[in-house]
């Protein structure tokens, strides 16, 4: 199959300053269309830097990054890359530009210079996807932390990107909000959206098909869920969530396909059989 | 202790007659009205303005309380101006406080100054409360567009203003948070001399500045990642359209300004004619 990878990072090195170790120290990562990749790693391991490299906000000093097949070191590609790869940051207050919900969602499409009817359509759809339609006329400052995070996601979705890069974007959500946010991502992923999700929370990665662990600017692990939870996770200081223990038990008894990502639905089905 | 009120003069989303007007209409109209307001020089001149203010809750769907409260941040300034006027206007002396004299003219001009300043702030606040910062900057950008032809970065300036307005509530929140954090560590902002109190604010200002710069940096990165290019072409979800209602509203505002001006000119004459006839 001759698909163009969504992200193709080749030996990327990036330093914020000359002294000290680089933030990215030779990262290789290839993400194909439709994948959902979870990126884990301790504080300062270079996750946010990797996200910015993928979005052409930073250009690697050595090596290269191709996003959507475009070389990010060419400034002429930056516009196309940022439209096709939308970035959602950790703190929604840092990325909400307008004072009214719908105006903020429109900010991205307005920057693309789209006609007003098209902007309106995209705003409607993005708000619908994150279920903020009822709050569209509200002041963005009056939203709760979780609602702001969903607004930030809507702002990214309005660009109609091929890929989403989420930098700890579920950190402010309550368990319910987190579940509905992840449900929303799952829906998008089924529709073909590629997702690169940076997270500290083990619950978050339940849904992703693939796990990448960064440490000190290097890729420590890159593989599928079942391989990761086969003992490797302890080396990186993670503990296994109970859902995953159940998943592995079911898989070892042959009640569930160990090659699929663990999904609650599948597990329930396996248990009811 | 709470630092300021975050809701004063801040945009309140709504669908009132005033909300729906084109921001250009509101901005130019407010400017015309405020110019006329500044020509009011006698206490009676403010009668039409009181009526105009009384109509505002109905037209803007903002409560009278919220409207009047928007003048609160300048109350101190209003008092101060009034005091200066009371004591420093030469004229018919009616009372004496040591070296200070209170004159009839002083009282009249203090009243006019105070009311004028208060009304100015309140009408400006109604403009801000009924216009979203995005719409405001769109309007400003269009009004100033002739300057763009002279090479001024008008659209960047307008975007800067939108963001500044959007950040005001965040700043108040952060200040409040830092104040509370410092107080929980034993800082005292409420007792001691003026100088001591001013000094106790330094540990608040330093983290606030650091935070503002970090915030600005993050926001710039986020805007860039959302395809914002300074000086680049932007389209609008709702392009500004000047409609019939804007022309009507504009005519009303100009008519009101003219009326209040004539009222100020003619009232003394009419009054004296009436007095003569009696
Ligand atoms: N703007 C910056 N200027 C200088 N150094 C930076 C900057 N941003 C990050 N760094 C440094 O680069 C390294 C990697 O940072 P990065 O933000 O990518 O980590 P991270 O994995 O996202 O961490 P976290 O989990 O805390 O978000 C860190 O050592 C950090 O100190
Ligand atoms: Mg980070």
């Amino acid at each position: 199959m001759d698909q163009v990878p969504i992200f193709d990072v080749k030996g990327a090195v990036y330093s914020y300053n000359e002294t000290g170790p680089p933030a990215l120290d030779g990262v290789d990562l290839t993400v194909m269309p439709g994948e959902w990749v979870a990126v884990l790693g301790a504080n300062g391991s270079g996750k946010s830097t990797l996200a910015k490299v993928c979005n052409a906000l930073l250009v690697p000093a050595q090596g290269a990054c191709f996003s959507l097949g475009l070389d990010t070191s060419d400034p002429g590609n930056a516009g196309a890359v940022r439209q096709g790869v939308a970035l959602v940051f950790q703190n929604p207050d840092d990325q909400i530009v307008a004072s009214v919900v719908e105006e903020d969602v429109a900010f991205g499409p307005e920057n693309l210079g789209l006609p007003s009817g098209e902007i309106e359509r995209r705003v409607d759809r993005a708000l619908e996807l994150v279920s903020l339609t009822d709050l569209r006329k509200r002041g963005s400052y009056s939203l709760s932390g979780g609602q702001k995070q969903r607004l930030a996601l809507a702002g990214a979705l309005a660009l109609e990107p091929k890929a989403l890069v989420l930098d700890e974007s579920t950190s402010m959500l309550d368990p319910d909000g987190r579940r509905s946010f992840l449900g929303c991502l799952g829906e998008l992923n089924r529709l073909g959206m590629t997702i690169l999700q940076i997270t500290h929370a083990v619950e978050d990665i339940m849904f992703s098909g693939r796990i990448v662990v960064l440490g000190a600017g290097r890729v420590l692990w890159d593989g599928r869920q079942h391989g990761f939870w086969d003992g490797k996770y302890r080396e990186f200081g993670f503990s296994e969530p109970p859902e995953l223990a159940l998943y592995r038990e079911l898989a070892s008894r042959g009640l569930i396909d160990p090659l699929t990502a663990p999904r609650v639905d599948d597990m329930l089905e396996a248990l009811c059989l | 202790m709470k630092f300021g009120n975050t809701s004063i003069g801040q945009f309140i989303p709504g669908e009132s007659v005033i909300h729906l007007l084109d921001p250009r209409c509101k901005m130019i109209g407010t400017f015309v009205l405020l110019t006329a307001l500044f020509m009011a020089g006698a206490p009676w001149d403010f009668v039409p303005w009181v009526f105009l203010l009384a109509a505002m809750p109905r037209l803007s769907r903002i409560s009278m309380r919220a409207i009047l409260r928007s003048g609160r941040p300048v109350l101190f300034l209003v008092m101060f101006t009034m005091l200066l006027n009371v004591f420093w206007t030469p004229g018919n002396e009616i009372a004496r406080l040591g070296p200070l004299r209170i004159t009839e003219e002083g009282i009249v001009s203090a009243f006019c100054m105070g009311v004028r300043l208060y009304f100015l702030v309140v009408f400006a606040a109604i403009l801000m409360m009924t216009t979203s910062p995005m719409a405001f900057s769109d309007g400003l950008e269009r009004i100033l567009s002739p300057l763009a032809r002279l090479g001024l970065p008008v659209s960047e300036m307008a975007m800067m203003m939108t963001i500044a307005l959007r950040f005001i509530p965040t700043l108040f929140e952060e200040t409040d948070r830092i104040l509370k954090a410092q107080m929980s560590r034993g800082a005292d902002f409420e007792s001691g001399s003026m100088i001591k109190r001013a000094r106790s604010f330094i540990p608040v200002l330093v983290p606030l500045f650091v935070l503002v710069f970090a915030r600005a940096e993050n926001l710039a990165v986020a805007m860039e990642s959302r395809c914002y290019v300074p000086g680049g072409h932007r389209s609008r979800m709702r392009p500004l359209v000047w409609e019939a209602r804007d022309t009507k509203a504009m005519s009303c505002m100009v008519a009101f300004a003219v009326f209040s001006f004539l009222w100020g000119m003619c009232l003394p004459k009419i009054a004296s004619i009436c007095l003569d006839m009696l």
Side-chain angles (χ1 to χ4, degrees), chain B residues 10-266:
Chain B
Q10 197 184 309
F11 174 53
I12 304 170
E15 306 260 279
S16 76
V17 188
I18 301 189
H19 278 90
L20 294 179
L21 288 179
D22 189 296
R24 289 168 291 180
C25 169
K26 282 187 267 190
M27 289 157 97
I28 298 174
T30 308
F31 183 74
V32 170
L33 285 178
L34 295 183
T35 311
L37 180 65
F38 258 69
M39 293 190 194
W44 284 114
D45 295 358
F46 292 104
V47 172
W49 294 91
V50 172
F51 280 101
L52 184 65
L53 187 64
M56 279 300 148
R58 195 156 244 264
L59 293 175
S60 66
R61 310 243 157 210
I62 294 174
S63 72
M64 198 54 167
R65 260 189 71 209
I67 291 177
L68 293 180
R69 204 179 49 190
S70 64
R72 218 160 55 181
V74 293
L75 269 187
F76 177 75
L77 191 67
V78 171
M79 302 286 191
F80 186 70
T81 324
M82 287 175 80
L83 274 183
L84 278 187
N85 271 282
V86 165
F87 293 118
W88 262 268
T89 315
N92 235 345
E93 188 176 313
I94 50 175
R96 202 167 190 150
L97 280 171
L100 298 172
R101 326 135 158 267
I102 297 175
T103 60
E104 221 178 282
E105 285 83 350
I107 289 177
V108 170
S109 96
F111 175 83
C112 291
M113 242 349 204
V115 174
R116 209 187 281 160
L117 205 59
Y118 186 75
F119 271 50
L120 172 90
V121 172
V122 165
F123 280 110
I126 292 173
L127 173 68
M128 300 311 289
M129 288 191 282
T130 56
T131 314
S132 90
M134 259 316 175
F136 194 91
S137 82
D138 274 5
L140 196 68
E141 190 180 335
R142 292 281 286 275
I143 292 174
L144 298 181
S145 62
L147 294 180
R149 254 171 253 135
L150 299 177
L152 271 175
V154 170
S155 74
E156 284 98 315
M157 275 155 49
M159 178 57 77
M160 243 154 65
M161 212 195 54
T162 317
I163 288 164
L165 289 172
R166 133 93 180 83
F167 257 79
I168 290 172
T170 315
L171 276 186
F172 276 117
E173 258 164 48
E174 291 296 348
T175 314
D176 203 41
R177 212 171 46 81
I178 296 172
L179 274 180
K180 287 205 180 102
Q182 305 282 25
M183 280 197 290
S184 74
R185 287 186 228 155
D188 175 11
F189 301 106
E190 278 157 2
S191 62
S193 70
M194 195 80 148
I195 294 182
K196 187 182 161 284
R197 272 196 279 172
R199 198 177 287 157
S200 69
F201 267 94
I202 294 176
V204 175
L205 289 182
V206 173
L208 190 64
F209 270 111
V210 172
L211 199 123
V212 168
F213 281 109
R215 272 293 173 82
E217 161 92 39
N218 289 344
L219 185 71
V221 171
M223 286 173 69
E224 203 182 335
S225 86
R226 293 178 72 182
C227 302
Y228 178 69
V229 181
H233 167 72
R234 298 186 73 232
S235 60
R236 295 294 191 282
M237 175 164 66
R238 310 231 166 80
L240 298 183
V241 189
W242 189 277
E243 297 195 42
R245 61 169 178 239
D246 296 306
T247 311
K248 270 188 228 159
M250 195 65 181
S251 323
C252 289
M253 286 190 276
V254 171
F256 182 88
V258 171
F259 169 76
S260 95
F261 180 69
L262 291 179
W263 168 276
M265 292 245 297
C266 304

Side-chain angles (χ1 to χ4, degrees), chain A residues 2 99 114 136 143 167 170 190 222-223:
Chain A
D2 220 23
S99 307
L114 297 170
R136 62 182 300 160
L143 299 182
D167 190 353
T170 52
R190 267 189 287 284
D222 182 352

